[in-house]
Amino acid sequence: MLFPTTLTAAIALASTALAAPTLAPRDDTLTPWNLTRAIISTPSGRPGERLWATITVNVTDSNTLNLGTGTDGVAVTAGPSEGLNCKATFLPTEGPWNRSWPCDPNGKQEGYWTMNLKEAPAEGTFRAGYELVLKHVADVPYNGARFHKEYEGSLLLRVGEYLTGTCGGSGACSWGLKAAMEVRQSEIPSDA
Ligand SMILES: *[C@@H]1O[C@H](CO)[C@@H](O)[C@H](O)[C@H]1NC(C)=O
Ligand SMILES: *[C@@H]1O[C@H](CO)[C@@H](O)[C@H](O)[C@H]1NC(C)=O
Ligand SMILES: *[C@@H]1O[C@H](CO)[C@@H](O)[C@H](O)[C@H]1NC(C)=O
């Protein structure tokens, strides 16, 4: 089964608390992120088989981000960038909720990506699911200063909506994206 049985109750409690993060107005000059892969795998629950579920995603940011200007007048930029193999590993009874799960370093030394998952309530014919919240932190040291901007984007993942998959005879299930999905990001204003 995809969702812990406690989820319905948790959603009832959480539905009013799923406050939108404080984000800057949408920046339409940025190209949206591309969620290229998302794989949700849940265990069979059979004795002797693996107990944990995993959610693994890949996302790309094709933008060259303008982080500011160095004291020498040089424009400091970051990107394009990829969040690779962002992975949550969790017990189905506990869920992956409300934690930062890191993505693999992409070797560029220009910051990092994280993934967070929030409970997404059922809606219409769609089952409850995961609100995937991706964060891209661009962080570049230059000329003795540190240039830093953070971006966040989210997407609801519900079986039947963007996800398709199968459950094996054992009861273990695997879902993936029907197609790559656009994720609209916003800059998170830094505290002054
Ligand atoms: C996750 O955070 C939301 C919002 O703060 C809260 O309502 C919800 O209960 C939390 N879920 C869990 C499982 O901790
Ligand atoms: C998103 O990624 C997919 C898979 O790599 C690719 O086919 C698609 O063209 C990309 N979409 C955009 C808007 O870049
Ligand atoms: C993410 O991309 C990396 C590098 O292209 C690839 O090795 C990995 O299999 C991908 N992960 C998923 C979940 O598709």
Side-chain angles (χ1 to χ4, degrees), residues 36-39 56-58 82-85:
T36 54
R37 293 287 290 277
I39 298 171
T56 314
V57 316
N58 274 355
E82 293 165 310
L84 296 177
N85 296 318

Side-chain angles (χ1 to χ4, degrees), residues 34-170:
N34 191 356
L35 186 70
T36 54
R37 293 287 290 277
I39 298 171
I40 300 176
S41 163
T42 56
S44 66
R46 282 190 181 175
E49 296 189 15
R50 79 181 159 87
L51 297 172
W52 56 91
T54 59
I55 299 178
T56 314
V57 316
N58 274 355
V59 58
T60 60
D61 181 348
S62 62
N63 298 286
T64 298
L65 303 166
N66 187 1
L67 302 184
T69 309
T71 47
D72 58 359
V74 168
V76 180
T77 63
S81 176
E82 293 165 310
L84 296 177
N85 296 318
C86 314
K87 186 171 186 179
T89 302
F90 57 98
L91 293 172
T93 48
E94 292 177 355
W97 318 118
N98 297 353
R99 294 181 44 178
S100 280
W101 301 93
C103 310
D104 284 348
N106 58 20
K108 289 188 175 162
Q109 316 273 333
E110 290 184 345
Y112 59 91
W113 289 78
T114 61
M115 169 175 79
N116 196 325
L117 294 151
K118 299 184 178 170
E119 299 154 354
E123 192 174 280
T125 57
F126 299 115
R127 282 203 268 155
Y130 303 89
E131 184 190 359
L132 172 70
V133 183
L134 291 162
K135 192 176 184 184
H136 179 196
V137 175
D139 190 273
V140 176
Y142 181 76
N143 232 6
R146 204 170 139 229
F147 294 82
H148 188 98
K149 282 189 181 178
E150 302 190 0
Y151 301 84
E152 190 170 276
S154 68
L155 184 71
L156 287 184
L157 295 177
R158 293 192 185 100
V159 172
E161 204 167 12
Y162 307 133
L163 295 172
T164 179
T166 53
C167 297
S170 72

